[in-house]
Structures are given as C-alpha cells and as structure tokens.
PDB file of all heavy atoms in Angstrom:
ATOM      1  N   MET A   1       0.863  -1.189   0.017  1.00  0.00           N
ATOM      2  CA  MET A   1      -0.024  -0.005  -0.025  1.00  0.00           C
ATOM      3  C   MET A   1       0.942   1.222  -0.014  1.00  0.00           C
ATOM      4  O   MET A   1       1.618   1.493   0.984  1.00  0.00           O
ATOM      5  CB  MET A   1      -0.890  -0.006   1.270  1.00  0.00           C
ATOM      6  CG  MET A   1      -1.606  -1.408   1.467  1.00  0.00           C
ATOM      7  SD  MET A   1      -2.375  -1.529   3.080  1.00  0.00           S
ATOM      8  CE  MET A   1      -3.707  -0.429   3.015  1.00  0.00           C
ATOM      9  N   ASN A   2       0.838   1.961  -1.080  1.00  0.00           N
ATOM     10  CA  ASN A   2       1.665   3.245  -1.270  1.00  0.00           C
ATOM     11  C   ASN A   2       0.661   4.347  -1.357  1.00  0.00           C
ATOM     12  O   ASN A   2      -0.379   4.308  -1.587  1.00  0.00           O
ATOM     13  CB  ASN A   2       2.547   3.165  -2.396  1.00  0.00           C
ATOM     14  CG  ASN A   2       3.522   1.970  -2.337  1.00  0.00           C
ATOM     15  OD1 ASN A   2       4.029   1.611  -1.364  1.00  0.00           O
ATOM     16  ND2 ASN A   2       3.908   1.455  -3.478  1.00  0.00           N
ATOM     17  N   ALA A   3       1.400   5.627  -1.054  1.00  0.00           N
ATOM     18  CA  ALA A   3       0.564   6.839  -1.193  1.00  0.00           C
ATOM     19  C   ALA A   3      -0.644   6.888  -0.433  1.00  0.00           C
ATOM     20  O   ALA A   3      -1.731   7.144  -0.928  1.00  0.00           O
ATOM     21  CB  ALA A   3       0.344   7.155  -2.678  1.00  0.00           C
ATOM     22  N   LEU A   4      -0.562   6.361   0.789  1.00  0.00           N
ATOM     23  CA  LEU A   4      -1.796   6.230   1.548  1.00  0.00           C
ATOM     24  C   LEU A   4      -2.460   7.450   1.992  1.00  0.00           C
ATOM     25  O   LEU A   4      -1.809   8.433   2.121  1.00  0.00           O
ATOM     26  CB  LEU A   4      -1.377   5.448   2.939  1.00  0.00           C
ATOM     27  CG  LEU A   4      -1.223   3.825   2.703  1.00  0.00           C
ATOM     28  CD1 LEU A   4      -0.390   3.340   3.838  1.00  0.00           C
ATOM     29  CD2 LEU A   4      -2.517   3.172   2.618  1.00  0.00           C
ATOM     30  N   LYS A   5      -3.838   7.364   2.013  1.00  0.00           N
ATOM     31  CA  LYS A   5      -4.668   8.540   2.223  1.00  0.00           C
ATOM     32  C   LYS A   5      -5.395   8.273   3.632  1.00  0.00           C
ATOM     33  O   LYS A   5      -5.703   7.201   3.998  1.00  0.00           O
ATOM     34  CB  LYS A   5      -5.642   8.767   1.117  1.00  0.00           C
ATOM     35  CG  LYS A   5      -4.961   8.899  -0.232  1.00  0.00           C
ATOM     36  CD  LYS A   5      -6.061   8.982  -1.301  1.00  0.00           C
ATOM     37  CE  LYS A   5      -5.374   9.061  -2.663  1.00  0.00           C
ATOM     38  NZ  LYS A   5      -6.478   9.104  -3.787  1.00  0.00           N
ATOM     39  N   PRO A   6      -5.883   9.361   4.229  1.00  0.00           N
ATOM     40  CA  PRO A   6      -6.769   9.160   5.445  1.00  0.00           C
ATOM     41  C   PRO A   6      -7.865   8.264   5.217  1.00  0.00           C
ATOM     42  O   PRO A   6      -8.292   7.486   6.092  1.00  0.00           O
ATOM     43  CB  PRO A   6      -7.107  10.593   5.837  1.00  0.00           C
ATOM     44  CG  PRO A   6      -5.944  11.440   5.352  1.00  0.00           C
ATOM     45  CD  PRO A   6      -5.537  10.770   4.037  1.00  0.00           C
ATOM     46  N   GLU A   7      -8.417   8.330   4.089  1.00  0.00           N
ATOM     47  CA  GLU A   7      -9.643   7.501   3.736  1.00  0.00           C
ATOM     48  C   GLU A   7      -9.393   6.056   3.662  1.00  0.00           C
ATOM     49  O   GLU A   7     -10.175   5.210   3.516  1.00  0.00           O
ATOM     50  CB  GLU A   7     -10.434   8.008   2.503  1.00  0.00           C
ATOM     51  CG  GLU A   7      -9.483   8.209   1.289  1.00  0.00           C
ATOM     52  CD  GLU A   7      -9.079   9.604   1.113  1.00  0.00           C
ATOM     53  OE1 GLU A   7      -8.748  10.220   2.177  1.00  0.00           O
ATOM     54  OE2 GLU A   7      -9.115  10.169  -0.046  1.00  0.00           O
ATOM     55  N   ASP A   8      -8.080   5.644   3.534  1.00  0.00           N
ATOM     56  CA  ASP A   8      -7.642   4.294   3.528  1.00  0.00           C
ATOM     57  C   ASP A   8      -7.771   3.704   4.998  1.00  0.00           C
ATOM     58  O   ASP A   8      -7.519   2.393   5.136  1.00  0.00           O
ATOM     59  CB  ASP A   8      -6.283   4.149   2.999  1.00  0.00           C
ATOM     60  CG  ASP A   8      -6.108   4.463   1.543  1.00  0.00           C
ATOM     61  OD1 ASP A   8      -7.047   4.168   0.747  1.00  0.00           O
ATOM     62  OD2 ASP A   8      -5.094   5.136   1.152  1.00  0.00           O
ATOM     63  N   THR A   9      -7.947   4.452   5.995  1.00  0.00           N
ATOM     64  CA  THR A   9      -7.972   3.971   7.322  1.00  0.00           C
ATOM     65  C   THR A   9      -9.181   3.043   7.512  1.00  0.00           C
ATOM     66  O   THR A   9     -10.211   3.111   6.965  1.00  0.00           O
ATOM     67  CB  THR A   9      -8.267   5.159   8.329  1.00  0.00           C
ATOM     68  OG1 THR A   9      -6.985   6.025   8.282  1.00  0.00           O
ATOM     69  CG2 THR A   9      -8.456   4.780   9.752  1.00  0.00           C
ATOM     70  N   GLY A  10      -8.832   1.957   8.420  1.00  0.00           N
ATOM     71  CA  GLY A  10      -9.847   0.976   8.653  1.00  0.00           C
ATOM     72  C   GLY A  10      -9.192  -0.367   8.919  1.00  0.00           C
ATOM     73  O   GLY A  10      -7.921  -0.458   9.017  1.00  0.00           O
ATOM     74  N   VAL A  11      -9.991  -1.336   8.993  1.00  0.00           N
ATOM     75  CA  VAL A  11      -9.539  -2.749   9.209  1.00  0.00           C
ATOM     76  C   VAL A  11      -9.500  -3.418   7.778  1.00  0.00           C
ATOM     77  O   VAL A  11     -10.392  -3.352   7.057  1.00  0.00           O
ATOM     78  CB  VAL A  11     -10.427  -3.619  10.208  1.00  0.00           C
ATOM     79  CG1 VAL A  11      -9.850  -4.974  10.284  1.00  0.00           C
ATOM     80  CG2 VAL A  11     -10.543  -2.830  11.452  1.00  0.00           C
ATOM     81  N   TYR A  12      -8.367  -4.120   7.576  1.00  0.00           N
ATOM     82  CA  TYR A  12      -8.156  -4.789   6.350  1.00  0.00           C
ATOM     83  C   TYR A  12      -8.136  -6.356   6.624  1.00  0.00           C
ATOM     84  O   TYR A  12      -7.554  -6.830   7.508  1.00  0.00           O
ATOM     85  CB  TYR A  12      -6.899  -4.442   5.703  1.00  0.00           C
ATOM     86  CG  TYR A  12      -6.973  -3.057   5.016  1.00  0.00           C
ATOM     87  CD1 TYR A  12      -6.894  -1.884   5.750  1.00  0.00           C
ATOM     88  CD2 TYR A  12      -7.090  -2.963   3.638  1.00  0.00           C
ATOM     89  CE1 TYR A  12      -6.986  -0.649   5.134  1.00  0.00           C
ATOM     90  CE2 TYR A  12      -7.206  -1.694   2.995  1.00  0.00           C
ATOM     91  CZ  TYR A  12      -7.131  -0.570   3.805  1.00  0.00           C
ATOM     92  OH  TYR A  12      -7.240   0.737   3.187  1.00  0.00           O
ATOM     93  N   TYR A  13      -9.021  -7.027   5.949  1.00  0.00           N
ATOM     94  CA  TYR A  13      -9.255  -8.422   5.991  1.00  0.00           C
ATOM     95  C   TYR A  13      -8.875  -9.109   4.722  1.00  0.00           C
ATOM     96  O   TYR A  13      -9.139  -8.509   3.626  1.00  0.00           O
ATOM     97  CB  TYR A  13     -10.753  -8.775   6.214  1.00  0.00           C
ATOM     98  CG  TYR A  13     -11.325  -8.171   7.502  1.00  0.00           C
ATOM     99  CD1 TYR A  13     -11.942  -6.986   7.389  1.00  0.00           C
ATOM    100  CD2 TYR A  13     -11.380  -8.940   8.652  1.00  0.00           C
ATOM    101  CE1 TYR A  13     -12.536  -6.348   8.512  1.00  0.00           C
ATOM    102  CE2 TYR A  13     -11.915  -8.389   9.743  1.00  0.00           C
ATOM    103  CZ  TYR A  13     -12.502  -7.151   9.743  1.00  0.00           C
ATOM    104  OH  TYR A  13     -13.065  -6.597  10.918  1.00  0.00           O
ATOM    105  N   CYS A  14      -8.211 -10.216   4.792  1.00  0.00           N
ATOM    106  CA  CYS A  14      -8.070 -11.000   3.631  1.00  0.00           C
ATOM    107  C   CYS A  14      -9.022 -12.181   3.743  1.00  0.00           C
ATOM    108  O   CYS A  14      -9.491 -12.510   4.794  1.00  0.00           O
ATOM    109  CB  CYS A  14      -6.626 -11.591   3.390  1.00  0.00           C
ATOM    110  SG  CYS A  14      -5.993 -12.696   4.633  1.00  0.00           S
ATOM    111  N   ALA A  15      -9.411 -12.656   2.542  1.00  0.00           N
ATOM    112  CA  ALA A  15     -10.374 -13.819   2.429  1.00  0.00           C
ATOM    113  C   ALA A  15     -10.147 -14.630   1.160  1.00  0.00           C
ATOM    114  O   ALA A  15      -9.533 -14.204   0.265  1.00  0.00           O
ATOM    115  CB  ALA A  15     -11.813 -13.150   2.366  1.00  0.00           C
ATOM    116  N   ALA A  16     -10.473 -15.955   1.395  1.00  0.00           N
ATOM    117  CA  ALA A  16     -10.320 -16.784   0.247  1.00  0.00           C
ATOM    118  C   ALA A  16     -11.570 -17.407  -0.242  1.00  0.00           C
ATOM    119  O   ALA A  16     -12.403 -17.782   0.596  1.00  0.00           O
ATOM    120  CB  ALA A  16      -9.364 -17.987   0.692  1.00  0.00           C
ATOM    121  N   ILE A  17     -11.747 -17.401  -1.490  1.00  0.00           N
ATOM    122  CA  ILE A  17     -12.950 -18.022  -2.124  1.00  0.00           C
ATOM    123  C   ILE A  17     -12.527 -19.109  -3.180  1.00  0.00           C
ATOM    124  O   ILE A  17     -11.727 -18.741  -4.026  1.00  0.00           O
ATOM    125  CB  ILE A  17     -13.796 -16.883  -2.844  1.00  0.00           C
ATOM    126  CG1 ILE A  17     -13.832 -15.595  -1.964  1.00  0.00           C
ATOM    127  CG2 ILE A  17     -15.115 -17.327  -3.233  1.00  0.00           C
ATOM    128  CD1 ILE A  17     -14.046 -14.394  -2.769  1.00  0.00           C
ATOM    129  N   ARG A  18     -13.077 -20.194  -2.998  1.00  0.00           N
ATOM    130  CA  ARG A  18     -12.795 -21.353  -3.946  1.00  0.00           C
ATOM    131  C   ARG A  18     -13.450 -21.036  -5.258  1.00  0.00           C
ATOM    132  O   ARG A  18     -14.598 -20.550  -5.455  1.00  0.00           O
ATOM    133  CB  ARG A  18     -13.380 -22.616  -3.443  1.00  0.00           C
ATOM    134  CG  ARG A  18     -13.141 -23.859  -4.135  1.00  0.00           C
ATOM    135  CD  ARG A  18     -11.686 -24.181  -4.234  1.00  0.00           C
ATOM    136  NE  ARG A  18     -11.444 -25.623  -4.562  1.00  0.00           N
ATOM    137  CZ  ARG A  18     -11.257 -26.034  -5.842  1.00  0.00           C
ATOM    138  NH1 ARG A  18     -11.354 -25.119  -6.888  1.00  0.00           N
ATOM    139  NH2 ARG A  18     -11.062 -27.284  -6.150  1.00  0.00           N
ATOM    140  N   VAL A  19     -12.658 -21.286  -6.340  1.00  0.00           N
ATOM    141  CA  VAL A  19     -13.150 -21.056  -7.713  1.00  0.00           C
ATOM    142  C   VAL A  19     -13.241 -22.513  -8.355  1.00  0.00           C
ATOM    143  O   VAL A  19     -12.336 -23.211  -8.545  1.00  0.00           O
ATOM    144  CB  VAL A  19     -12.088 -20.225  -8.548  1.00  0.00           C
ATOM    145  CG1 VAL A  19     -12.589 -20.046  -9.952  1.00  0.00           C
ATOM    146  CG2 VAL A  19     -11.846 -18.848  -7.825  1.00  0.00           C
ATOM    147  N   TRP A  20     -14.529 -22.831  -8.731  1.00  0.00           N
ATOM    148  CA  TRP A  20     -14.827 -24.070  -9.277  1.00  0.00           C
ATOM    149  C   TRP A  20     -14.990 -24.095 -10.757  1.00  0.00           C
ATOM    150  O   TRP A  20     -14.613 -25.096 -11.409  1.00  0.00           O
ATOM    151  CB  TRP A  20     -16.147 -24.664  -8.692  1.00  0.00           C
ATOM    152  CG  TRP A  20     -16.124 -24.968  -7.207  1.00  0.00           C
ATOM    153  CD1 TRP A  20     -16.505 -24.070  -6.183  1.00  0.00           C
ATOM    154  CD2 TRP A  20     -15.511 -26.063  -6.613  1.00  0.00           C
ATOM    155  NE1 TRP A  20     -16.290 -24.812  -5.000  1.00  0.00           N
ATOM    156  CE2 TRP A  20     -15.659 -25.946  -5.207  1.00  0.00           C
ATOM    157  CE3 TRP A  20     -14.908 -27.204  -7.154  1.00  0.00           C
ATOM    158  CZ2 TRP A  20     -15.154 -26.928  -4.356  1.00  0.00           C
ATOM    159  CZ3 TRP A  20     -14.484 -28.193  -6.233  1.00  0.00           C
ATOM    160  CH2 TRP A  20     -14.561 -27.998  -4.854  1.00  0.00           C
ATOM    161  N   GLY A  21     -15.399 -23.019 -11.401  1.00  0.00           N
ATOM    162  CA  GLY A  21     -15.388 -22.991 -12.865  1.00  0.00           C
ATOM    163  C   GLY A  21     -15.990 -21.677 -13.411  1.00  0.00           C
ATOM    164  O   GLY A  21     -15.881 -21.345 -14.595  1.00  0.00           O
ATOM    165  N   ASP A  22     -16.430 -20.896 -12.484  1.00  0.00           N
ATOM    166  CA  ASP A  22     -16.952 -19.538 -12.819  1.00  0.00           C
ATOM    167  C   ASP A  22     -15.668 -18.640 -13.043  1.00  0.00           C
ATOM    168  O   ASP A  22     -14.575 -19.010 -12.633  1.00  0.00           O
ATOM    169  CB  ASP A  22     -17.919 -18.960 -11.822  1.00  0.00           C
ATOM    170  CG  ASP A  22     -19.189 -19.771 -11.637  1.00  0.00           C
ATOM    171  OD1 ASP A  22     -19.886 -19.861 -12.680  1.00  0.00           O
ATOM    172  OD2 ASP A  22     -19.310 -20.353 -10.646  1.00  0.00           O
ATOM    173  N   SER A  23     -15.879 -17.512 -13.639  1.00  0.00           N
ATOM    174  CA  SER A  23     -14.873 -16.439 -13.643  1.00  0.00           C
ATOM    175  C   SER A  23     -14.379 -16.137 -12.265  1.00  0.00           C
ATOM    176  O   SER A  23     -15.202 -15.944 -11.361  1.00  0.00           O
ATOM    177  CB  SER A  23     -15.464 -15.221 -14.356  1.00  0.00           C
ATOM    178  OG  SER A  23     -14.743 -14.086 -13.923  1.00  0.00           O
ATOM    179  N   TRP A  24     -13.069 -15.982 -12.106  1.00  0.00           N
ATOM    180  CA  TRP A  24     -12.483 -15.825 -10.767  1.00  0.00           C
ATOM    181  C   TRP A  24     -12.965 -14.400 -10.296  1.00  0.00           C
ATOM    182  O   TRP A  24     -13.132 -14.154  -9.043  1.00  0.00           O
ATOM    183  CB  TRP A  24     -10.990 -15.877 -10.753  1.00  0.00           C
ATOM    184  CG  TRP A  24     -10.309 -14.989 -11.749  1.00  0.00           C
ATOM    185  CD1 TRP A  24      -9.954 -15.213 -13.057  1.00  0.00           C
ATOM    186  CD2 TRP A  24      -9.833 -13.636 -11.463  1.00  0.00           C
ATOM    187  NE1 TRP A  24      -9.432 -14.179 -13.646  1.00  0.00           N
ATOM    188  CE2 TRP A  24      -9.326 -13.090 -12.725  1.00  0.00           C
ATOM    189  CE3 TRP A  24      -9.917 -12.756 -10.373  1.00  0.00           C
ATOM    190  CZ2 TRP A  24      -8.693 -11.893 -12.791  1.00  0.00           C
ATOM    191  CZ3 TRP A  24      -9.411 -11.498 -10.533  1.00  0.00           C
ATOM    192  CH2 TRP A  24      -8.810 -11.079 -11.701  1.00  0.00           C
ATOM    193  N   LEU A  25     -13.070 -13.408 -11.152  1.00  0.00           N
ATOM    194  CA  LEU A  25     -13.526 -12.106 -10.831  1.00  0.00           C
ATOM    195  C   LEU A  25     -15.003 -12.073 -10.459  1.00  0.00           C
ATOM    196  O   LEU A  25     -15.405 -11.451  -9.407  1.00  0.00           O
ATOM    197  CB  LEU A  25     -13.239 -11.147 -11.948  1.00  0.00           C
ATOM    198  CG  LEU A  25     -13.613  -9.619 -11.561  1.00  0.00           C
ATOM    199  CD1 LEU A  25     -12.892  -9.164 -10.383  1.00  0.00           C
ATOM    200  CD2 LEU A  25     -13.251  -8.698 -12.813  1.00  0.00           C
ATOM    201  N   TRP A  26     -15.829 -12.812 -11.041  1.00  0.00           N
ATOM    202  CA  TRP A  26     -17.213 -12.946 -10.760  1.00  0.00           C
ATOM    203  C   TRP A  26     -17.275 -13.526  -9.376  1.00  0.00           C
ATOM    204  O   TRP A  26     -18.079 -13.205  -8.586  1.00  0.00           O
ATOM    205  CB  TRP A  26     -17.991 -13.845 -11.824  1.00  0.00           C
ATOM    206  CG  TRP A  26     -19.450 -13.910 -11.508  1.00  0.00           C
ATOM    207  CD1 TRP A  26     -20.442 -13.073 -11.983  1.00  0.00           C
ATOM    208  CD2 TRP A  26     -20.090 -14.871 -10.692  1.00  0.00           C
ATOM    209  NE1 TRP A  26     -21.685 -13.497 -11.480  1.00  0.00           N
ATOM    210  CE2 TRP A  26     -21.484 -14.619 -10.705  1.00  0.00           C
ATOM    211  CE3 TRP A  26     -19.667 -15.972  -9.905  1.00  0.00           C
ATOM    212  CZ2 TRP A  26     -22.436 -15.321  -9.990  1.00  0.00           C
ATOM    213  CZ3 TRP A  26     -20.602 -16.751  -9.260  1.00  0.00           C
ATOM    214  CH2 TRP A  26     -21.949 -16.416  -9.270  1.00  0.00           C
ATOM    215  N   VAL A  27     -16.458 -14.562  -9.100  1.00  0.00           N
ATOM    216  CA  VAL A  27     -16.573 -15.234  -7.815  1.00  0.00           C
ATOM    217  C   VAL A  27     -16.140 -14.243  -6.704  1.00  0.00           C
ATOM    218  O   VAL A  27     -16.837 -14.111  -5.618  1.00  0.00           O
ATOM    219  CB  VAL A  27     -15.526 -16.409  -7.841  1.00  0.00           C
ATOM    220  CG1 VAL A  27     -15.306 -16.854  -6.346  1.00  0.00           C
ATOM    221  CG2 VAL A  27     -16.062 -17.578  -8.604  1.00  0.00           C
ATOM    222  N   PHE A  28     -15.133 -13.339  -6.947  1.00  0.00           N
ATOM    223  CA  PHE A  28     -14.730 -12.383  -5.948  1.00  0.00           C
ATOM    224  C   PHE A  28     -15.826 -11.408  -5.651  1.00  0.00           C
ATOM    225  O   PHE A  28     -16.119 -11.004  -4.552  1.00  0.00           O
ATOM    226  CB  PHE A  28     -13.491 -11.686  -6.491  1.00  0.00           C
ATOM    227  CG  PHE A  28     -13.149 -10.444  -5.592  1.00  0.00           C
ATOM    228  CD1 PHE A  28     -12.625 -10.637  -4.363  1.00  0.00           C
ATOM    229  CD2 PHE A  28     -13.237  -9.129  -6.117  1.00  0.00           C
ATOM    230  CE1 PHE A  28     -12.139  -9.571  -3.566  1.00  0.00           C
ATOM    231  CE2 PHE A  28     -12.825  -8.061  -5.335  1.00  0.00           C
ATOM    232  CZ  PHE A  28     -12.212  -8.280  -4.078  1.00  0.00           C
ATOM    233  N   GLU A  29     -16.545 -11.024  -6.661  1.00  0.00           N
ATOM    234  CA  GLU A  29     -17.640 -10.066  -6.511  1.00  0.00           C
ATOM    235  C   GLU A  29     -18.987 -10.582  -6.143  1.00  0.00           C
ATOM    236  O   GLU A  29     -19.848  -9.831  -5.609  1.00  0.00           O
ATOM    237  CB  GLU A  29     -17.731  -9.168  -7.850  1.00  0.00           C
ATOM    238  CG  GLU A  29     -16.554  -8.443  -8.221  1.00  0.00           C
ATOM    239  CD  GLU A  29     -16.752  -7.741  -9.517  1.00  0.00           C
ATOM    240  OE1 GLU A  29     -17.515  -8.165 -10.375  1.00  0.00           O
ATOM    241  OE2 GLU A  29     -16.097  -6.579  -9.676  1.00  0.00           O
ATOM    242  N   ASN A  30     -19.152 -11.842  -6.092  1.00  0.00           N
ATOM    243  CA  ASN A  30     -20.566 -12.399  -5.792  1.00  0.00           C
ATOM    244  C   ASN A  30     -20.582 -13.519  -4.819  1.00  0.00           C
ATOM    245  O   ASN A  30     -21.692 -13.800  -4.354  1.00  0.00           O
ATOM    246  CB  ASN A  30     -21.203 -12.955  -7.131  1.00  0.00           C
ATOM    247  CG  ASN A  30     -21.362 -11.775  -8.053  1.00  0.00           C
ATOM    248  OD1 ASN A  30     -22.410 -11.088  -7.995  1.00  0.00           O
ATOM    249  ND2 ASN A  30     -20.500 -11.599  -9.003  1.00  0.00           N
ATOM    250  N   VAL A  31     -19.462 -14.100  -4.487  1.00  0.00           N
ATOM    251  CA  VAL A  31     -19.534 -15.390  -3.661  1.00  0.00           C
ATOM    252  C   VAL A  31     -18.969 -15.101  -2.323  1.00  0.00           C
ATOM    253  O   VAL A  31     -17.958 -14.466  -2.173  1.00  0.00           O
ATOM    254  CB  VAL A  31     -18.778 -16.553  -4.342  1.00  0.00           C
ATOM    255  CG1 VAL A  31     -18.792 -17.758  -3.359  1.00  0.00           C
ATOM    256  CG2 VAL A  31     -19.327 -16.885  -5.689  1.00  0.00           C
ATOM    257  N   GLU A  32     -19.706 -15.522  -1.247  1.00  0.00           N
ATOM    258  CA  GLU A  32     -19.229 -15.405   0.104  1.00  0.00           C
ATOM    259  C   GLU A  32     -17.922 -16.196   0.313  1.00  0.00           C
ATOM    260  O   GLU A  32     -17.808 -17.379  -0.059  1.00  0.00           O
ATOM    261  CB  GLU A  32     -20.319 -15.860   1.081  1.00  0.00           C
ATOM    262  CG  GLU A  32     -19.965 -15.685   2.542  1.00  0.00           C
ATOM    263  CD  GLU A  32     -19.868 -14.233   2.949  1.00  0.00           C
ATOM    264  OE1 GLU A  32     -20.395 -13.314   2.279  1.00  0.00           O
ATOM    265  OE2 GLU A  32     -19.148 -13.936   3.996  1.00  0.00           O
ATOM    266  N   PRO A  33     -16.906 -15.600   0.844  1.00  0.00           N
ATOM    267  CA  PRO A  33     -15.613 -16.294   1.118  1.00  0.00           C
ATOM    268  C   PRO A  33     -15.715 -17.568   1.890  1.00  0.00           C
ATOM    269  O   PRO A  33     -16.598 -17.605   2.838  1.00  0.00           O
ATOM    270  CB  PRO A  33     -14.772 -15.272   1.734  1.00  0.00           C
ATOM    271  CG  PRO A  33     -15.235 -13.929   1.258  1.00  0.00           C
ATOM    272  CD  PRO A  33     -16.743 -14.178   1.249  1.00  0.00           C
ATOM    273  N   ASN A  34     -14.930 -18.488   1.660  1.00  0.00           N
ATOM    274  CA  ASN A  34     -14.859 -19.679   2.434  1.00  0.00           C
ATOM    275  C   ASN A  34     -14.264 -19.470   3.767  1.00  0.00           C
ATOM    276  O   ASN A  34     -14.579 -20.146   4.831  1.00  0.00           O
ATOM    277  CB  ASN A  34     -14.085 -20.780   1.781  1.00  0.00           C
ATOM    278  CG  ASN A  34     -14.719 -21.172   0.359  1.00  0.00           C
ATOM    279  OD1 ASN A  34     -14.374 -20.540  -0.685  1.00  0.00           O
ATOM    280  ND2 ASN A  34     -15.648 -22.154   0.378  1.00  0.00           N
ATOM    281  N   VAL A  35     -13.392 -18.476   3.810  1.00  0.00           N
ATOM    282  CA  VAL A  35     -12.622 -18.202   5.040  1.00  0.00           C
ATOM    283  C   VAL A  35     -12.219 -16.802   5.062  1.00  0.00           C
ATOM    284  O   VAL A  35     -11.878 -16.230   4.127  1.00  0.00           O
ATOM    285  CB  VAL A  35     -11.411 -19.159   5.311  1.00  0.00           C
ATOM    286  CG1 VAL A  35     -10.497 -19.030   4.105  1.00  0.00           C
ATOM    287  CG2 VAL A  35     -10.787 -18.947   6.574  1.00  0.00           C
ATOM    288  N   TRP A  36     -12.220 -16.168   6.296  1.00  0.00           N
ATOM    289  CA  TRP A  36     -11.760 -14.813   6.497  1.00  0.00           C
ATOM    290  C   TRP A  36     -10.506 -14.854   7.530  1.00  0.00           C
ATOM    291  O   TRP A  36     -10.563 -15.685   8.518  1.00  0.00           O
ATOM    292  CB  TRP A  36     -12.830 -13.995   7.077  1.00  0.00           C
ATOM    293  CG  TRP A  36     -14.005 -13.604   6.351  1.00  0.00           C
ATOM    294  CD1 TRP A  36     -15.140 -14.352   6.074  1.00  0.00           C
ATOM    295  CD2 TRP A  36     -14.160 -12.505   5.412  1.00  0.00           C
ATOM    296  NE1 TRP A  36     -15.980 -13.683   5.262  1.00  0.00           N
ATOM    297  CE2 TRP A  36     -15.381 -12.557   4.737  1.00  0.00           C
ATOM    298  CE3 TRP A  36     -13.261 -11.429   5.058  1.00  0.00           C
ATOM    299  CZ2 TRP A  36     -15.781 -11.693   3.883  1.00  0.00           C
ATOM    300  CZ3 TRP A  36     -13.747 -10.394   4.158  1.00  0.00           C
ATOM    301  CH2 TRP A  36     -14.963 -10.599   3.544  1.00  0.00           C
ATOM    302  N   GLY A  37      -9.750 -13.872   7.355  1.00  0.00           N
ATOM    303  CA  GLY A  37      -8.748 -13.603   8.330  1.00  0.00           C
ATOM    304  C   GLY A  37      -9.268 -12.720   9.479  1.00  0.00           C
ATOM    305  O   GLY A  37     -10.451 -12.364   9.427  1.00  0.00           O
ATOM    306  N   GLN A  38      -8.472 -12.495  10.541  1.00  0.00           N
ATOM    307  CA  GLN A  38      -9.005 -11.875  11.687  1.00  0.00           C
ATOM    308  C   GLN A  38      -8.952 -10.334  11.495  1.00  0.00           C
ATOM    309  O   GLN A  38      -9.597  -9.611  12.352  1.00  0.00           O
ATOM    310  CB  GLN A  38      -8.139 -12.201  12.949  1.00  0.00           C
ATOM    311  CG  GLN A  38      -6.879 -11.498  13.154  1.00  0.00           C
ATOM    312  CD  GLN A  38      -5.779 -11.947  12.181  1.00  0.00           C
ATOM    313  OE1 GLN A  38      -5.891 -12.845  11.372  1.00  0.00           O
ATOM    314  NE2 GLN A  38      -4.601 -11.222  12.263  1.00  0.00           N
ATOM    315  N   GLY A  39      -8.273  -9.842  10.449  1.00  0.00           N
ATOM    316  CA  GLY A  39      -8.158  -8.407  10.232  1.00  0.00           C
ATOM    317  C   GLY A  39      -7.026  -7.718  10.840  1.00  0.00           C
ATOM    318  O   GLY A  39      -6.486  -8.208  11.870  1.00  0.00           O
ATOM    319  N   THR A  40      -6.552  -6.666  10.164  1.00  0.00           N
ATOM    320  CA  THR A  40      -5.486  -5.837  10.665  1.00  0.00           C
ATOM    321  C   THR A  40      -5.783  -4.424  10.520  1.00  0.00           C
ATOM    322  O   THR A  40      -6.232  -4.117   9.421  1.00  0.00           O
ATOM    323  CB  THR A  40      -4.117  -6.322  10.035  1.00  0.00           C
ATOM    324  OG1 THR A  40      -3.096  -5.653  10.695  1.00  0.00           O
ATOM    325  CG2 THR A  40      -4.063  -5.966   8.587  1.00  0.00           C
ATOM    326  N   GLN A  41      -5.511  -3.723  11.572  1.00  0.00           N
ATOM    327  CA  GLN A  41      -5.841  -2.209  11.511  1.00  0.00           C
ATOM    328  C   GLN A  41      -4.774  -1.384  10.855  1.00  0.00           C
ATOM    329  O   GLN A  41      -3.525  -1.499  11.078  1.00  0.00           O
ATOM    330  CB  GLN A  41      -5.968  -1.759  12.966  1.00  0.00           C
ATOM    331  CG  GLN A  41      -6.260  -0.204  13.173  1.00  0.00           C
ATOM    332  CD  GLN A  41      -7.697   0.089  12.604  1.00  0.00           C
ATOM    333  OE1 GLN A  41      -8.656  -0.578  12.913  1.00  0.00           O
ATOM    334  NE2 GLN A  41      -7.786   1.221  11.958  1.00  0.00           N
TER     335      GLN A  41
END
C-alpha cells in the first residue's frame, strides 16, 4: 500500500474464495468467502 490517504484508514481483512469453474472475478464480486482472516488495523 503506497501513497496512503486518510480514507484508507480501517480494518483490512483477507479472504479466500474457492473457484470451481466460474470467472474468478465474478466469484470475488458475488460469492461469500470460504474463510476470513481476523483483520489488521
């Protein structure tokens, strides 16, 4: 993360979503993740 702005403030979570055959981008935008991290401030 470069050139950070005050509006970038918040908790950042990573998440993983299994891709079975659909577009990976469609999966990211429409499918609930299989697992979430705990987040980092």
Side-chain angles (χ1 to χ4, degrees):
M1 311 166 71
N2 297 331
L4 282 161
K5 305 175 181 181
E7 52 263 43
D8 295 320
T9 292
V11 181
Y12 284 77
Y13 300 88
C14 66
I17 315 159
R18 183 66 162 89
V19 180
W20 291 101
D22 299 295
S23 153
W24 59 270
L25 183 55
W26 183 90
V27 167
F28 173 68
E29 294 181 330
N30 294 280
V31 178
E32 182 66 21
N34 298 91
V35 58
W36 290 93
Q38 83 285 358
T40 185
Q41 175 70 40

